[in-house]
Amino acid sequence: MEVFSGRSPGPERHPPVGPSRRHRASLLDLRSAAGQVFLLQVVIVVLLVVAAVAAAVLQTARDAVQLGRRESVVVAQAFASAPGTAEALQSRDPTAVLQPRAEAARKRTGVDFIVAMNTQGIRYTYPYPQEIGKKFVGTIAPALQGRTVVEQAGGPPLPAGKGTDVQAVVPVTDSHGKVVGLVSAGITVKNVSALWMPQLPIILGSGAVALALAMTGTTLVSRRLRRQTHGLAPAELAELYEHHDAVLHSVREGVLITGADGRLLLANDEATRLLGLPADARGRPVPELGLPEPITRLLSSPETVTDELHPAGDRLLLVNKRPTYPHADRGGSVVTLRDTTELAAVSVRAEMARERLELLYEAGVGIGTTLDVERTAQELADVAAPQFADLVTVDLLEAVLRGWEPTAEGWRQLRRTAIGGDRQMMPVYPPGEVITFSARTPQMRTLQERRVMLEADLREAHGWREQDPERARKALECGLRSLVTVPLRARNVALGVVNFYRTADSAAFEPEDLTFAEELTARAAVAIDNARRFTREHAMAVTLQRSLLPRGQPEQDALEVAWRYLPAEAGVGGDWFDIIPLPGARVALVMGDVVGRGLHAAATMGRLRTAVHNFSTLDLPVDEVLGNLDDLVIRIDNEENTDDAAAGGEGEGVTGATCLYAVYDPVAGVCTIARAGHPEPVVLHPDGTVTCAGVPASTPLGLGGHPFETAEVSLPEGSQLVLYTDGLVEDRTHDIDAGMERLRRALDGSGGRTPEETCQAVIDALKPSPACDDIALLTARTRRFPPSRVAEWDVPQDPALVPSVRARCRETLRQWGLEETGFATELILSELVTNAIRYGSPPVRVRLLHGRCLICEVSDGSGTSPRLRRAATTDEGGRGLFLVAQFAQRWGTRYTPRGKVIWAEQQLLDAGPAARTGPTPVDFLLDQFDDPDA
């Protein structure tokens, strides 16, 4: 069997300069390889001559033996195939049947014995009957497998006497091909000598010729070897072989060489170790080596393989395969094996570490995207499941959800805040449920001991099972197996616990998982604590802001009002609105927005709202109200910038505040509007058409030095005036023009809706998600004072006509069914008319309005303002306004472009509990003026 080195022939190298090159020994030089080979060949030729002579002598004996072998095989096969032999071997007495047949056949064929035996080698026949029943001497194993065995062996004495015993053993098969017995036939060959002397000259001549050919062949082979070995001497070749062999068997890489016929030619020690090859593997076919099927298929195929991973037992091998002769058709392959099991384990750990780092990165990016506690807890659960655990639950203290500072007293009761993973498969507490943990549960222990808890097998976790035995039993039946409980701690304060569960389908938690669980939970704890702090501050700001916003609708007859206020998710801002009743049944609508968020914006909004109320009390025109607000914002900015500069801080001015101020008069059906940088209001007409109010835009508050333009808009009864802040129509995804178009579409065709329905429809259509800015929306549907409830007339500039005014007032009240208020109304009206005639300028005009209350108005062309004072007992006058103030619910003065209006409101007796408080009796009031001590 040839064994090839596997090295492809390369270009011929020049022989190295050395002793083998300098000394070209002759054939007679026994120190050279050629001389030694020639001497060996001479010895061989001599031995061959001697052997030829001996062969001639032994030829006759050998021929006799060969003849005996052939005859024994023929006789044995003939007897075994004879009819009845197989049946006789299976009979009850095979010897009785076969012994006569065997002796007759022996005598006819000339063999020395024919032995029939069973499969255990027990003789049934033999020339000498005393040897029957004994063990056959010879090899029968191959014959039992169906093969013929021919051998030389000894045995019991034979009739032929001494000599060489040649015997053949053949199987006897039945009709089914089963071996049922054996037959052996043998011949004793005696030594035969022949005349060999005539052959001696031929033998000697042949030896001489062989010697000459050996000399010539040695010379030629010596020259060829020198060319093929590049001049290397045998010692150098031996040294090179030893080096190659040492390297082959010492490297930590298995090397296999297979032949073209699929047999294993070579396997170094490392390959034997890696594949578990048997000691006799060399020379055996690859399929008989008992290797794993993938390795066997790889070694048997002619394909080239590069860096393929194949399992072999508990090892993972990196395999490369190349043909031994890439440029020839001689076949064979060289296979190298490298054990990458440890590398694979390291790679697995590295891959796990990489996945954990990626998960931590995802946690850093995905946890804390909002400042909502519940949303942050859910983000933690979603990040951890299913990458780290099959099921994740987050339980937080109730104080954390409310934004309060958590305390140890709340540990026993935690609220299930978030669940991650397949919550349907496990019977766990649902989100929102308050859980009271017992002292032995892992959750309570992790809070008390401030460390992570591992329950590798929940079937052995008695504390966990005692918490809710029935729920625990169902969870175990569903496959829940392993638990890691980690405390959520921030600033060394416990916020809750996180429970990581794995099912039976996943590997149980191990101690090395605890560090990762702690790291993941620590990152989430910071985000949850930040959300908790924001929740607290947001709740404080919202509470402050809502306390500054209207709590309910004021009593008024001019408008039917509805509103919506939605704070931003990131924090409250400075949006506000207001509905302020004004004298003369008018109503002021206010909508404002302070740029910024948080407590500062809410507090500033409160200051501005209070200022608007004060300016409205003065009943100033709308442009003057905005002008006074502008001055107030500038003053607030200057004060805060001065304080921040003194403190070395950064100013937080109120730059960017906007406001819209509108006054609606239900008698005239006119709304006077001015806006300082605020979005334009929208009018929804009763027929469903939507238009803009057409109010000119003015600069925002706080810039100073700019006038505020005013617009008067006539509103039919049933129209809806829609006021809003920019958070409704503008966000990051679209500009204000697109938002206005969406608002128009939401309002279009909804003229028949109530203000409440209109507000809800607008919010449903335009509310952004998430809300990045506060949204304030106010919808007011107009009402008109019926002409039948309005009485007005001019009063001549003559004090003598005051009784006629009182008479006309009495008649009007009688028509309205208000006779019970007649005395007080006549008194109020006569006092106001008298003052207007006496101290004012023409024209003097009286107007009575019957609505929720009774309003008396007296206007004149003078700008002087009346002043309430207490008259002395010696004064003849000065008590008129005092009487008006006592009989009226409230009274005041407002200025118009043509003068002023003095008004007084009386609560009607059927208007509610406030009416029953009534004015002070007249007699009692008059007595006060007579009291010298008053």
Side-chain angles (χ1 to χ4, degrees), residues 19-224:
S20 61
R21 179 78 182 269
R22 292 193 301 265
H23 303 285
R24 296 187 178 273
S26 64
L27 295 179
L28 299 178
D29 188 1
L30 298 181
R31 293 177 299 178
S32 65
Q36 294 173 358
V37 171
F38 179 69
L39 178 60
L40 179 60
Q41 290 179 343
V42 170
V43 174
I44 292 174
V45 169
V46 173
L47 293 177
L48 288 176
V49 171
V50 175
V53 174
V57 175
L58 299 176
Q59 184 64 36
T60 303
R62 189 179 66 80
D63 291 342
V65 171
Q66 291 296 330
L67 180 60
R69 293 167 63 90
R70 288 193 298 272
E71 291 180 354
S72 61
V73 171
V74 171
V75 172
Q77 289 180 344
F79 189 85
S81 303
T85 302
E87 290 77 6
L89 287 172
Q90 295 177 337
S91 63
R92 299 180 60 182
D93 190 2
T95 300
V97 178
L98 295 177
Q99 177 66 13
R101 296 182 184 180
E103 286 302 310
R106 178 178 65 82
K107 294 175 181 180
R108 287 195 304 270
T109 57
V111 297
D112 292 329
F113 64 89
I114 296 177
V115 177
M117 68 194 86
N118 61 9
T119 55
Q120 284 78 31
I122 303 302
R123 300 188 189 101
Y124 290 148
T125 65
Y126 200 79
Y128 297 116
Q130 64 270 19
E131 299 296 330
I132 295 174
K134 296 182 179 180
K135 185 74 173 179
F136 174 76
V137 179
T139 304
I140 65 173
L144 293 175
Q145 299 178 359
R147 299 199 297 270
T148 299
V149 180
V150 180
E151 61 180 350
Q152 296 180 2
L158 296 172
K162 296 181 179 180
T164 302
D165 185 7
V166 179
Q167 62 184 15
V169 182
V170 298
V172 179
T173 59
D174 59 6
S175 60
H176 300 289
K178 179 181 179 183
V179 177
V180 298
L182 304 174
V183 173
S184 176
I187 299 176
T188 301
V189 181
K190 298 182 179 180
N191 294 328
V192 179
S193 299
L195 296 176
W196 54 273
M197 289 302 294
Q199 301 177 6
L200 185 59
I202 299 175
I203 295 175
L204 294 178
S206 299
V209 173
L211 188 60
L213 293 175
M215 181 181 298
T216 303
T218 301
T219 303
L220 296 176
V221 170
S222 177
R223 292 177 181 177
R224 185 175 180 82

Side-chain angles (χ1 to χ4, degrees), residues 286 291-301 308-312 319:
V286 172
L291 300 176
E293 200 278 332
I295 298 294
T296 301
R297 186 170 60 252
L298 183 144
L299 295 178
S300 302
S301 67
E308 286 190 4
L309 291 175
H310 288 272
V319 181

Side-chain angles (χ1 to χ4, degrees), residues 371 373 399-405 491 528-546 567-573 597-603:
L371 290 174
V373 174
V400 175
L401 295 172
R402 296 177 179 270
W404 303 340
E405 192 71 21
R491 301 177 296 104
I528 291 177
D529 189 58
N530 290 338
R532 179 195 64 81
R533 288 167 170 261
F534 172 79
T535 300
R536 179 185 61 184
E537 295 180 2
H538 183 73
M540 293 172 58
V542 168
T543 302
L544 172 62
Q545 189 174 36
R546 291 193 181 278
E569 292 186 5
V572 296
R597 294 192 181 95
L599 294 176
H600 176 76

Side-chain angles (χ1 to χ4, degrees), residues 39 131 163 223 231 302 321 344 393 395 416 536 540 572 586 609 620 661 715 723 910:
L39 178 60
E131 299 296 330
R223 292 177 181 177
K321 182 180 179 182
T393 62
D395 303 327
R416 176 61 47 84
R536 179 185 61 184
M540 293 172 58
V572 296
R586 296 169 303 138
R609 180 172 180 255
L620 299 176
Y661 188 75
L715 299 176
L723 310 181
D910 58 350

Side-chain angles (χ1 to χ4, degrees), residues 385-505:
Q387 292 93 329
F388 178 64
D390 297 318
L391 181 68
V392 180
T393 62
V394 182
D395 303 327
L396 298 180
L397 276 69
E398 191 72 26
V400 175
L401 295 172
R402 296 177 179 270
W404 303 340
E405 192 71 21
T407 59
E409 288 76 11
W411 287 359
R412 290 296 297 274
Q413 291 186 340
L414 288 88
R415 185 177 295 275
R416 176 61 47 84
T417 307
I419 298 179
D422 191 356
R423 68 181 68 183
Q424 304 298 330
M425 59 179 284
M426 292 298 168
V428 295
Y429 292 105
E433 184 167 344
V434 177
I435 308 171
T436 302
F437 289 106
S438 62
R440 296 185 58 188
T441 58
Q443 290 81 359
M444 185 56 60
R445 291 173 56 200
T446 194
L447 286 173
Q448 294 174 343
E449 301 179 19
R450 301 183 180 183
R451 64 183 182 90
V452 61
M453 291 291 174
L454 170 63
E455 295 288 353
D457 191 350
L458 289 176
R459 292 170 294 186
E460 305 298 330
H462 301 291
W464 177 80
R465 299 180 66 179
E466 290 175 0
Q467 171 66 27
D468 191 336
E470 181 62 23
R471 193 185 299 270
R473 182 187 63 79
K474 293 180 179 179
L476 292 175
E477 291 177 354
C478 292
L480 214 61
R481 285 295 179 270
S482 185
L483 167 65
V484 170
T485 301
V486 186
L488 268 169
R489 301 185 63 83
R491 301 177 296 104
N492 203 28
V493 175
L495 308 177
V497 295
V498 182
N499 305 303
F500 300 97
Y501 291 95
R502 283 184 182 174
T503 62
D505 297 332

